[in-house]
């Protein structure tokens, strides 16, 4: 995901979605998916990980891992990038593979100067919405 800064007072930022696998762009999001991603985008914008203008340096890469191979994600990772560098990370882990993420690891994902419960809620919300896409 790439977020671009709001242009002025009262305007929301713009979020663009690209789906890739193994760092290869598969496709852009469809209109139907964009409607579904509305909640996801609103949560991401609260993370204040914006680009000025049309820039794409700051972006979020979110992906799931299924080392057990049973088709259910045991970990969902969020990498907040500044160019090729990962500026900070967050993750949600399903410790007993029951579909619930018992452990949320996050730093200050909303850039308010504190790593707290709000950051963990934002990560949990991003993970929940991401998994609705089936990726």
């Amino acid at each position: 995901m790439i977020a671009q800064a709001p242009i002025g007072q009262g305007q929301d930022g713009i979020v663009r979605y690209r789906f890739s696998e193994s760092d290869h762009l598969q496709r852009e999001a469809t209109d139907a998916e964009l409607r579904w991603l509305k909640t996801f985008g609103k949560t991401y914008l609260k993370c204040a990980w914006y680009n000025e203008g049309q820039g794409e340096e700051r972006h979020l890469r979110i992906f799931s891992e299924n080392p057990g191979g049973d088709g259910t994600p045991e970990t969902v990772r969020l990498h907040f990038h500044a160019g090729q560098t990962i500026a900070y990370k967050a993750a949600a882990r399903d410790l007993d593979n029951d579909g619930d993420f018992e452990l949320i690891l996050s730093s200050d994902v909303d850039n308010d100067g504190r790593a707290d419960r709000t950051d963990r809620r934002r990560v949990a919300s991003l993970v929940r919405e991401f998994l609705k896409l089936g990726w």
Side-chain angles (χ1 to χ4, degrees):
M1 283 189 306
I2 300 166
Q4 293 167 337
I7 298 179
Q9 289 278 18
Q11 293 184 334
D12 292 332
I14 296 168
V15 179
R16 293 190 323 213
Y17 304 92
R18 294 184 180 145
F19 297 96
S20 60
E21 194 166 322
S22 301
D23 287 335
H24 298 296
L25 180 64
Q26 299 294 312
R27 61 185 172 79
E28 301 284 336
T30 66
D31 288 339
E33 287 169 331
L34 288 175
R35 286 191 296 274
W36 195 6
L37 289 165
K38 187 176 182 179
T39 302
F40 190 80
K42 284 182 180 182
T43 301
Y44 178 55
L45 288 171
K46 291 177 184 175
C47 293
W49 195 243
Y50 291 107
N51 290 282
E52 295 299 323
Q54 298 295 313
E56 296 185 1
E57 282 290 306
R58 287 183 167 191
H59 60 276
L60 170 65
R61 292 183 185 186
I62 182 169
F63 55 96
S64 61
E65 297 175 334
N66 177 239
D70 64 356
T72 60
E74 284 114 27
T75 303
V76 176
R77 297 190 186 279
L78 296 86
H79 290 178
F80 292 81
H81 283 258
Q84 293 298 324
T85 304
I86 298 172
Y88 54 95
K89 300 176 183 181
R93 302 220 33 215
D94 181 357
L95 301 174
D96 55 8
N97 205 23
D98 66 353
D100 292 323
F101 291 92
E102 293 85 15
L103 182 62
I104 305 291
L105 305 168
S106 71
S107 57
D108 178 21
V109 299
D110 60 7
N111 291 299
D112 68 354
R114 296 180 312 273
D116 56 16
R117 185 181 349 215
T118 301
D119 297 293
R120 290 187 297 278
R121 281 196 306 262
R122 292 196 201 296
V123 168
S125 179
L126 285 168
V127 166
R128 190 172 40 254
E129 296 303 318
F130 170 74
L131 292 175
K132 286 181 182 178
L133 288 171
W135 278 66

